[in-house]
Amino acid sequence: MEGTWAPWTYHNDKDKLVGFDVEIGNYIADYLGVEADFVEGEWDGLFAGLDAGMYDIIINGVDETPERAEKYDFSDPYAYIHTVLVVRSDNKKIKSFEDLKGKTTANSIGSTYMELAEKYGATVKGVDSLGETMNMVISKRADATLNAEVSVLDYMKEQPDAPIKIVASTEEANHVCIPVRKGEENESFRAEINKAIAAMRKDGTLAGLSEKYFGSDITNP
């Protein structure tokens, strides 16, 4: 995980790694009877680490996409999120995703948000955290950013005076899942992760954690 993307994975005021995905990871580890070892890294290096066998899973609000599904196997979804388009409050030129053509966005390299921005003709400037992302937009070093609606709303709640606004949202929600390396050797592992997710749904933990970190239940489509 990144450890820089509140409220999914981040450090609190005591510099402790916390967040929705941290608690999800700990629950899964407890269910499997093991201890979770969280490793933090920049987004564009997480999948490389998974490929190299450095990590068993990535748990960082990862969207399942057709392109990723060709390379990785994914768990059942444990959250559903919409992508929103964010600009400075005084920006009157960008009102939809189609308006991104020829503009710049701030996004993590290799993220689904970067891919969507490029699909609409934007040039993407790489960033390492949500805070840096918003600062790029606020300082006009980027025209916009695409990001998870829940993360943006959390940022706006914590920074009510930040001069930003949401101007558009995707109609369909992205499926947030846990990727593992493809192969029969990981099938039983993935099946146990799915059982843990199902258990979290059944005992109310999943919805409770969502309410705790997002203020709403994003665990159902």
Side-chain angles (χ1 to χ4, degrees), residues 5 8 13 24 34-35 45 53 59 72 80 85 88 91 110 118-119 127 136 146 159 171 187 189 196 219:
W5 190 31
W8 300 84
D13 54 7
I24 297 290
V34 299
E35 184 177 346
I59 182 162
Y72 307 97
Y80 300 83
L85 175 59
R88 266 182 61 100
N91 189 318
E118 291 182 335
K119 175 184 174 182
V127 291
M136 290 278 285
L146 288 71
Q159 306 289 338
E171 292 185 9
E187 275 304 305
F189 178 43
T219 64

Side-chain angles (χ1 to χ4, degrees), residues 12-30:
N12 63 15
D13 54 7
K14 295 182 180 179
D15 202 31
K16 180 182 178 181
L17 180 65
V18 296
F20 180 67
D21 275 336
V22 175
E23 297 209 38
I24 297 290
N26 276 320
Y27 187 107
I28 292 172
D30 289 342

